[in-house]
Amino acid sequence: MLLSEFQLHTDIFPDAITYEEIEREYMDERWESKAQFCAAYKFNEGGLAEKIQRAANARLIELGEGSAHHMRIRAQMAGTIKALTEEVEGLEAAYEKVLKDMLSPTMVSMIRKRVKEEQP
C-alpha cells in the first residue's frame, strides 16, 4: 500500500518511521482490502494503531540510542586523532631541531675538525 493510499483512507499523515511500521503490519497480516486495514487502524480495532505506535516508538528509541553510541565513538575518535596529531607535531618539532643542530655552524666545524683528524 502506498503512503498516499493510507492517507486517503484514514486522513492520517504518519511520519516515515510510523509508516514503515504500518507497512510491516499490513504486509504481515491477512487483510481483505486496504480499506479494511485502514479502517482497523483508524479506529484502533484490536489495538492495531497502538501496536504499530509502540513498534514505531521502539524504533525511534533504537535510532536515538544508535545516534548516542555513534556520537560517543566519534568523540573517542576525535580524542585519538587529537592525541596522534599532537604526537606527530612533537616528532616533527624534534626532527626539525635535530636537522637544525646538524646543520649549525658549530656542528659543521666539528665535522670538519673530525674529517681533518682522520685524514693521514
Side-chain angles (χ1 to χ4, degrees), residues 88-108:
V88 167
E89 289 170 354
L91 291 170
E92 287 174 343
Y95 177 74
E96 290 295 323
K97 183 181 182 317
V98 167
L99 280 179
K100 183 180 175 186
D101 289 346
M102 286 177 64
L103 300 176
S104 71
T106 306
M107 186 62 108
V108 170

Side-chain angles (χ1 to χ4, degrees), residues 58-73:
R59 290 262 330 273
L60 286 170
I61 289 168
E62 276 179 29
L63 290 171
E65 288 174 352
S67 295
H69 175 70
H70 286 96
M71 287 174 60
R72 283 192 299 277
I73 290 172

